[in-house]
Amino acid sequence: MGKIREALVEERDVLFEGACGTGKTLASLVPALEYGQAAGKTVVITTNVHQQTRQFIEEARAIADTEPIRAVVFRGKASMCHIDVGYEECQALRDTTRELVDKEQDIAELEEREGELLDASRDGDGEAAQARGSVMEELEDLEVGAEAIREEQNICERYYNNLARDTDEFYRWLYGDVRTPDEIYEYAHERDLCGYELLKDGMEGVDLVICNYHHLLDPMIREQFFRWLGRDPEDIVVVFDEAHNVADAARDHATRTLAERTLDGALDELDGVEDARADPAANVIGTFRDALVDTYEDSFGLGDREAVDEEWTDVSIDNETGRDDLSVTFLQNYTGQGFGTDLEEALAFGEELDRRYERAYKQGEETTRKECPTLTASAFIERWMESSVELGQYPVAGVRRTETGVVGRAELYTCLPRQVTEPLFEELHATILMSATLRPFDVTEDVLGLDDPLTMAYGEQFPQSRRRTYAVETPALFASQRDDPGVQETIGDVIEDTVRFTPGNTLAFFPSYAEAERYYHRFSGESTPYLDRPGIRAEELRREFIADDDAVLFTSLWGTLAEGVSFDDDDARSVIVVGVPYPHLDDRMEAVQRAYQGAFGDGSGGDAGWRYAVEIPTVRKTRQALGRVVRSPDDFGVRVLVDERYTSSKRHELAEYSVYPSFPPEERDEHIDIAPEKLKFAMLNFYTDVDAWDGSPPAP
């Protein structure tokens, strides 16, 4: 805490890795809040894991019980809106509603003034009588205007109540405790108020805000968010939890897409419009649309089109000779007065159409606030044509199947997360990035664009005698090995031995859902098997699993159960990680590797791209999965790594294929290399030593 406090005074960022039990949240939050109150700063603590948000609320409530702090929990409009309208519609409704309330307030003030002048004129004041006539005329105009808004334009009655009523009671209630967004929604709903807008108005100058990553990582949302806080960026300290996820989240927030349907909508919008800019706009947008369709159609081989399903699937458009295939097709097919000129006119016309739609909605001519596909499409095309892999932006095309057939989209994928994070960290007062898996720190610094941060690492905090980590000497599960019957039999036996010699539940993680399903069907032990599937909410499955007392859960390391979810005590005793969970090495991942190599390679021939983009994130996945068990000082359990690439004995033989060196030193020291057939004896001895068997242990 002292080190963090000192770093905040010096306006330095902090990288804080701490294993389970370190107390990362309080160790970061307490000095940040103490410093924030002393220096007039607001602390924002943010995560992308729902369970962590709940923990933050509990921690904030515990602090608020002893120290007077004003804390709010902020969530996006979509989950708090009582009338379910989009952002643009909400903005237009607010503007019109505020205009009505302003007129009504002016009317009230003029009515009061008119009464005063009436009294004065009755006392013989001639000037008062004359002034009263002018006031009456102005009052009549305002009343006509207010009535017109009421009858002809769209307003939000809940937001009207926010503005027209006394809301002091709400804020007394809000700051009486740390309220969740759901509690705010219910409180406001019962009183016909807009809880989201009340919350926004009540955030100015608070001590602590709990929110999601996108409030910081999306540039447009961030600008508004800081305005609601009433703070300049240099007056904000941000604590990022699960900070190993910041890079991927930043990449996602910077990525932009343009669907074929949006292009079609833009062309429909421009069809028949009497404006000189409509034809140039239709020319550039139509040419891009046709190029997109031609590109993905040309990519289909025999049977590929029929294999397209409802999920977006990448279509390779990479071109080793220069620009991507979509851009080349677009430029080859384009004819007109000049691409730049047409695009400029499309953007200008799109902006004007967007203003018209906003005006029509505010004035009640439309019941919904129309989006402008022309503006969306032309802005994206401009960005697409200015992009380059060298700048960390990778062009991708995708396809999916809909009710009307196969459709496509263009996507600009951001390879370098620091394009988002570096400007953010530079403008904030300081940040604290905490996680159980932030090392190696030099990689995190480079990827996120941090400048000389304070680094702190605290390893396992619980007694080593309460845990074991075994690295099983099974064959390396390269893609070429996974279908080998002998390898599958060996892996299956290790899984069954682990489950059998665990006095309780076992978690089994695999590099993919397909591999998890393969070994789920092979499992023939007496314990109850559970299978996690992609696209299915895992919380209900998790509850069923932890309610059991002798079960094994088969899931993917890339699923939702591998991090941010605790399996305390009897919830799970052992965890198995089968194989090394490298991501699918597609064109997108290769582009990230190239971008990282270009940004961080030192010219010495080392493969920084592979290390930064693939190996380090993969080992972090494994470390996160291992951390699902042994969650308290009294807890105990076994972690089993099933692949010789995790062993120390094969490190030199496997050379660059070994992932053992990528673990932190103190974690490597706990890896116990073991032959597959000896694992059951080691587990039996460990669980006997910790007195874990209720009855007689199984015979080896």
Side-chain angles (χ1 to χ4, degrees):
M1 287 185 180
K3 290 180 179 179
I4 290 174
R5 174 66 160 75
E6 185 177 344
L8 297 180
V9 172
E10 297 173 352
E11 300 186 34
R12 289 182 71 189
D13 298 313
V14 178
L15 290 177
F16 177 13
E17 177 174 298
C20 179
T22 308
K24 294 185 293 295
T25 301
L26 280 178
S28 301
L29 195 54
V30 169
L33 282 171
E34 191 277 334
Y35 172 75
Q37 289 189 330
K41 313 294 183 186
T42 289
V43 177
V44 176
I45 186 165
T46 179
T47 184
N48 65 337
V49 179
H50 292 306
Q51 181 167 308
Q52 293 302 103
T53 300
R54 292 193 291 271
Q55 180 185 334
F56 294 163
I57 293 171
E58 292 173 6
E59 304 280 19
R61 283 173 171 166
I63 293 171
D65 285 342
T66 59
E67 293 291 332
I69 64 168
R70 292 201 305 163
V72 297
V73 185
F74 195 74
R75 198 161 65 190
K77 190 196 83 68
S79 62
M80 293 188 69
C81 183
H82 301 266
I83 58 175
D84 193 24
V85 296
Y87 174 79
E88 297 291 345
E89 288 179 284
C90 182
Q91 179 65 52
L93 284 172
R94 289 200 309 271
D95 290 347
T96 307
T97 305
R98 182 170 289 280
E99 183 183 356
L100 173 62
V101 171
D102 287 345
K103 285 184 181 297
E104 290 180 343
Q105 289 175 345
D106 290 343
I107 289 170
E109 291 174 4
L110 285 175
E111 286 178 338
E112 183 177 352
R113 177 62 177 154
E114 186 269 336
E116 293 172 354
L117 292 171
L118 177 60
D119 292 340
S121 64
R122 286 173 175 169
D123 292 337
D125 187 338
E127 292 183 1
Q130 186 176 358
R132 177 173 175 266
S134 299
V135 168
M136 291 289 288
E137 290 180 7
E138 186 176 354
L139 187 59
E140 183 178 352
D141 290 342
L142 283 171
E143 288 174 339
V144 170
E147 187 65 24
I149 293 174
R150 274 286 187 190
E151 293 183 356
E152 301 172 10
Q153 299 189 34
N154 295 309
I155 67 166
C156 175
E157 292 292 346
R158 289 180 177 274
Y159 184 56
Y160 176 87
N161 293 335
N162 284 11
L163 300 175
R165 293 182 189 172
D166 183 352
T167 55
D168 288 349
E169 181 184 348
F170 169 82
Y171 291 111
R172 284 192 293 271
W173 170 82
L174 177 68
Y175 298 128
D177 199 347
V178 181
R179 309 295 184 182
T180 68
D182 290 336
E183 290 171 339
I184 294 169
Y185 179 93
E186 290 300 326
Y187 183 99
H189 188 75
E190 292 171 0
R191 293 161 178 79
D192 290 325
L193 299 168
C194 175
Y196 177 72
E197 291 296 327
L198 287 173
L199 181 59
K200 278 169 45 180
D201 292 342
M203 288 171 61
E204 186 169 349
V206 296
D207 301 302
L208 174 66
V209 181
I210 300 168
C211 66
N212 192 282
Y213 275 0
H214 69 262
H215 293 106
L216 281 302
L217 296 179
D218 187 300
M220 292 183 62
I221 295 176
R222 178 169 71 240
E223 183 179 346
Q224 294 176 330
F225 184 62
F226 289 169
R227 189 165 62 248
W228 299 333
L229 291 177
R231 296 288 196 190
D232 293 326
E234 58 266 27
D235 291 322
I236 296 174
V237 175
V238 177
V239 181
F240 282 95
D241 184 54
E242 302 292 348
H244 61 281
N245 289 323
V246 169
D248 285 342
R251 185 181 288 120
D252 290 343
H253 279 90
T255 295
R256 297 291 181 264
T257 61
L258 177 64
E260 182 181 332
R261 285 184 170 177
T262 302
L263 292 162
D264 289 337
L267 294 173
D268 289 342
E269 182 177 51
L270 295 167
D271 186 33
V273 175
E274 294 183 2
D275 189 289
R277 296 165 294 182
D279 286 343
N283 183 33
V284 70
I285 292 172
T287 304
F288 192 86
R289 185 261 182 206
D290 293 343
L292 172 63
V293 174
D294 290 346
T295 300
Y296 73 68
E297 290 288 357
D298 290 345
S299 74
F300 291 147
L302 183 63
D304 287 347
R305 172 178 255 279
E306 290 71 26
V308 175
D309 60 22
E310 296 178 355
E311 299 296 323
W312 284 110
T313 303
D314 285 356
V315 171
S316 178
I317 60 172
D318 212 356
N319 191 324
E320 296 180 359
T321 62
R323 296 213 63 146
D324 61 275
D325 292 340
L326 173 52
S327 296
V328 170
T329 302
F330 171 62
L331 292 172
Q332 287 176 342
N333 293 349
Y334 172 79
T335 58
Q337 61 182 331
F339 161 71
T341 303
D342 278 356
L343 186 56
E344 186 177 334
E345 295 198 18
L347 283 164
F349 190 45
E351 290 169 355
E352 181 175 321
L353 288 173
D354 194 60
R355 288 192 293 270
R356 290 181 193 174
Y357 297 153
E358 182 172 5
R359 197 160 50 242
Y361 181 66
K362 284 183 178 180
Q363 294 176 354
E365 298 169 10
E366 300 287 346
T367 57
T368 59
R369 205 288 191 185
K370 289 179 63 177
E371 301 295 325
C372 181
T374 296
L375 180 58
T376 301
S378 53
F380 179 90
I381 294 170
E382 180 183 47
R383 183 185 294 237
W384 178 278
M385 299 308 295
E386 292 175 350
S387 68
S388 69
V389 176
E390 290 73 21
L391 295 175
Q393 297 169 312
Y394 182 64
V396 182
V399 292
R400 65 184 288 257
R401 186 172 299 280
T402 68
E403 295 178 356
T404 58
V406 173
V407 296
R409 73 174 181 186
E411 176 182 348
L412 274 176
Y413 181 69
T414 299
C415 298
L416 296 175
R418 71 178 185 182
Q419 293 178 338
V420 176
T421 55
E422 188 171 17
L424 170 63
F425 296 152
E426 286 177 349
E427 68 177 3
L428 292 170
H429 178 82
T431 60
I432 304 168
L433 296 104
M434 60 182 189
S435 168
T437 56
L438 274 184
R439 286 180 287 176
F441 288 134
D442 62 325
V443 173
T444 302
E445 290 177 40
D446 287 344
V447 169
L448 298 182
L450 293 161
D451 181 22
D452 188 32
L454 169 69
T455 59
M456 301 188 300
Y458 296 85
E460 296 274 8
Q461 300 299 297
F462 307 138
Q464 188 171 342
S465 61
R466 307 288 286 177
R467 64 181 182 271
R468 290 291 185 274
T469 304
Y470 297 110
V472 186
E473 297 165 342
T474 59
L477 287 177
F478 299 117
S480 59
Q481 295 273 73
R482 291 177 189 161
D483 292 330
D484 185 299
V487 171
Q488 290 181 19
E489 183 177 356
T490 300
I491 301 300
D493 289 346
V494 169
I495 294 170
E496 296 205 7
D497 283 348
T498 303
V499 175
R500 183 182 172 206
F501 286 90
T502 295
N505 292 342
T506 302
L507 290 166
F509 291 100
F510 298 82
S512 67
Y513 284 107
E515 286 294 290
E517 186 170 4
R518 182 204 297 271
Y519 287 97
Y520 167 81
H521 290 301
R522 286 187 61 95
F523 182 75
S524 59
E526 295 182 2
S527 301
T528 305
Y530 292 85
L531 177 63
D532 184 20
R533 291 182 170 86
I536 304 298
R537 288 181 62 86
E539 179 56 28
E540 184 175 343
L541 177 66
R542 189 190 74 86
R543 286 198 296 266
E544 287 184 39
F545 169 70
I546 65 176
D548 210 324
D549 57 6
D550 184 17
V552 53
L553 174 58
F554 294 80
T555 186
S556 168
L557 277 153
W558 297 94
T560 58
L561 298 175
E563 61 179 88
V565 180
S566 295
F567 291 86
D568 302 326
D569 300 316
D570 291 334
D571 290 352
R573 284 293 173 205
S574 295
V575 56
I576 314 171
V577 174
V578 177
V580 179
Y582 288 125
H584 179 54
L585 301 180
D586 53 13
D587 290 345
R588 194 183 292 243
M589 182 53 65
E590 289 181 9
V592 174
Q593 288 184 63
R594 292 201 303 272
Y596 278 172
Q597 183 65 34
F600 310 124
D602 59 7
S604 63
D607 195 349
W610 171 264
R611 181 169 182 260
Y612 279 57
V614 180
E615 183 163 307
I616 297 304
T618 296
V619 170
R620 284 177 177 154
K621 278 284 181 189
T622 299
R623 294 176 64 206
Q624 283 286 331
L626 294 181
R628 294 315 93 207
V629 299
V630 191
R631 308 287 295 182
S632 68
D634 296 326
D635 202 356
F636 57 88
V638 167
R639 289 90 70 95
V640 182
L641 295 164
V642 187
D643 193 303
E644 64 182 355
R645 287 173 286 181
Y646 292 115
T647 65
S648 61
S649 60
K650 295 295 181 73
R651 172 183 178 180
H652 297 294
E653 180 182 333
L654 291 170
E656 70 270 17
Y657 295 111
S658 173
V659 296
Y660 174 79
S662 294
F663 285 79
E666 73 277 7
E667 293 183 21
R668 292 200 300 263
D669 291 345
E670 290 195 27
H671 286 201
I672 301 172
D673 294 356
I674 194 167
E677 65 274 11
K678 294 183 179 180
L679 176 64
K680 58 186 175 183
F681 298 101
M683 292 186 61
L684 178 62
N685 290 337
F686 170 77
Y687 281 121
T688 299
D689 289 344
V690 296
D691 196 24
W693 303 102
D694 292 335
S696 299

